[in-house]
Amino acid sequence: MKAVGVTPRQKEVGIIDHSAPDLQQDDEVRIRTIDVGICGTDREICTFVYGDPPAGSNYLVLGHEAMGEVVEVGSEVEHLKVGDFVVPSVRRPCRDENCLPCREDLQDFCSTGAYVERGIKECHGFMTESFVERERFLTHVPPELRNLAVLMEPLTIAEKGLAQAWDAQSRLPWVRHHANGKPTGKGLNAVILGAGPIGILGAMTMKAAGFETYVYNRSPLPNPKAEIVEAIGAKYISSNDVAFRDLPGLVGSIDLVYEAIGISSVAFEVLSILGVNGVYIFTGIPAPGDSIPVDANQLMRSVVLGNQAVIGTVNADDASFKAAIKDLAYFKKHWPEAIEAVITKRYAIDSCRELLLDRATGIKNVISFD
Ligand code: BGC
Ligand code: ZN
């Protein structure tokens, strides 16, 4: 089978020959790959600072944002059937008996670090014609979401972030006094930092949750990302026009920040203007390197005097995948053109090197095996 892979020892990126997988266990499902998204993590793996092949392999098949069709089910598969569309999760639990998160299906909170991630860490990914996965790591996708479901995995990052923000803010009346048991962002301000795929999907998630939503991004207006942001009823603010210090004057108190920019200097500037009782969610993973100066005294004062919560979020659990299905359906219903515009273009596998190695363009590029 054709696959897109990296061979770190030879520093090679491109199409490789990968053997077709068979079912090994009765709870496994074989999937024909349809769409695989390309993200910053993939591009970073292609610079060889991140990502590891599985034990015994000198290459790693890339791809962790996938959608495919079930073509074979093992005898113990309970809910999925041939013809169903599915999205796999990324992280697989470690084997340590004492790792409570992994033992309770919360491997996104793995405490040993010995987890593996498909297409990233010690386990092949999905950028290949077909793959095998256990049923418990797959989420069923309704057919009407088939063309959008490649966005599910990056959307789960926002879903997990928001779920943690609700948890942190259950200390406050704005979450505690909600009607019908569902927390709402109504009357609260969210600033999304960055307008890449994670930022735009984050903006959609916060907007759908009821927040007054602002996206703060470098690119000057007008631009296609700003058009998407405005189409969902959020406001796009370019750092060209508004300095970060002036954001609270424009937005009001910033109750939630969803950082999706990965640039620590900007991320910490915006942390310094987080509102009283606010929550700040980090999602970016900057490459290790030079240190940057920050005004730590001011930051520490405002975190303490403002009861602020700073949360990092990586990967996602099953509940976040379920939430992503619901939100994707909501986005499609309310903002059909905007959500479709998040997928910039579908390419054949032959374009993989340009997509992974050249300057990033558009929002979400997808390799399609269909
Ligand atoms: C993926 C996550 C993963 C993280 C760290 C991200 O690109 O979306 O699922 O946990 O990289 O490897
Ligand atoms: Zn990703």
Side-chain angles (χ1 to χ4, degrees):
M1 275 187 332
K2 274 188 182 174
V4 179
V6 292
T7 313
R9 226 173 296 151
Q10 270 93 46
K11 298 225 182 307
E12 275 171 13
V13 177
I15 297 178
I16 50 171
D17 191 38
H18 180 60
S19 54
D22 293 317
L23 302 192
Q24 305 281 338
Q25 297 180 70
D26 295 335
D27 65 344
E28 284 178 342
V29 174
R30 196 157 57 86
I31 295 136
R32 171 180 78 86
T33 312
I34 296 177
D35 284 335
V36 186
I38 293 201
C39 89
T41 302
D42 301 310
R43 297 170 58 83
E44 195 177 23
I45 294 171
C46 291
T47 67
F48 310 103
V49 299
Y50 196 58
D52 290 299
S57 169
N58 59 351
Y59 65 87
L60 169 74
V61 174
L62 288 174
H64 59 273
E65 304 180 359
M67 195 284 294
E69 181 186 355
V70 173
V71 289
E72 187 185 354
V73 292
S75 59
E76 275 172 27
V77 169
E78 286 177 55
H79 305 290
L80 293 173
K81 54 181 195 312
V82 170
D84 281 351
F85 297 117
V86 289
V87 165
S89 64
V90 179
R91 195 177 278 192
R92 302 291 168 263
C94 76
R95 290 163 198 272
D96 192 323
E97 278 311 310
N98 297 318
C99 182
L100 281 183
C102 282
R103 300 291 69 80
E104 294 189 12
D105 298 321
L106 291 172
Q107 53 271 15
D108 55 317
F109 286 103
C110 173
S111 57
T112 64
Y115 60 82
V116 301
E117 287 183 334
R118 293 208 63 164
I120 302 174
K121 182 176 182 277
E122 296 156 31
C123 189
H124 288 310
F126 310 118
M127 231 177 257
T128 176
E129 294 167 53
S130 77
F131 60 91
V132 162
E133 189 51 89
R134 298 177 72 181
E135 182 180 31
R136 54 192 282 238
F137 299 127
L138 296 166
T139 300
H140 175 258
V141 174
E144 61 274 17
L145 294 179
R146 180 191 199 272
N147 289 333
L148 296 173
V150 68
L151 299 174
M152 286 244 321
E153 198 279 338
L155 176 56
T156 61
I157 305 293
E159 300 291 357
K160 177 178 169 183
L162 182 59
Q164 289 186 80
W166 293 141
D167 282 351
Q169 302 304 65
S170 63
R171 61 193 181 151
L172 294 173
W174 60 268
V175 173
R176 243 189 263 145
H177 292 178
H178 52 76
N180 68 30
K182 240 186 120 226
T184 167
K186 203 157 177 278
L188 296 163
N189 299 315
V191 168
I192 314 300
L193 204 50
I198 296 286
I200 289 181
L201 292 169
M204 290 180 168
T205 307
M206 302 317 159
K207 183 72 194 168
F211 289 89
E212 274 312 312
T213 305
Y214 302 81
V215 175
Y216 190 56
N217 189 51
R218 192 174 44 187
S219 307
L221 284 154
N223 69 68
K225 292 171 178 172
E227 270 170 41
I228 296 179
V229 168
E230 301 280 340
I232 68 165
K235 180 141 185 54
Y236 182 97
I237 304 172
S238 168
S239 55
N240 248 34
D241 305 327
V242 178
F244 79 91
R245 266 185 218 90
D246 299 329
L247 273 178
L250 217 84
V251 169
S253 178
I254 299 174
D255 302 299
L256 181 142
V257 173
Y258 185 71
E259 178 277 321
I261 199 169
I263 301 169
S264 55
S265 52
V266 183
F268 274 79
E269 279 174 354
V270 174
L271 176 58
S272 76
I273 53 161
L274 181 65
V276 170
N277 303 333
V279 56
Y280 192 106
I281 307 168
F282 275 111
T283 79
I285 314 175
D290 299 341
S291 58
I292 57 147
V294 295
D295 187 346
N297 287 336
Q298 189 271 332
L299 282 179
M300 194 163 157
R301 281 177 66 85
S302 57
V303 168
V304 171
L305 296 175
N307 296 299
Q308 293 169 338
V310 177
I311 300 174
T313 180
V314 67
N315 207 261
D317 60 348
D318 198 47
S320 302
F321 276 83
K322 300 240 156 63
I325 288 279
K326 276 204 186 134
D327 265 343
L328 212 51
Y330 180 98
F331 303 165
K332 187 182 154 100
K333 183 168 173 216
H334 292 89
W335 315 309
E337 281 157 24
I339 185 66
E340 266 167 37
V342 177
I343 300 178
T344 305
K345 197 172 162 187
R346 286 182 165 82
Y347 294 83
I349 189 174
D350 312 278
S351 301
C352 66
R353 280 181 56 86
E354 293 86 287
L355 291 169
L356 288 162
L357 301 172
D358 292 355
R359 219 177 78 86
T361 55
I363 305 172
K364 177 59 73 186
N365 286 303
V366 171
I367 292 188
S368 180
F369 293 82
D370 214 9

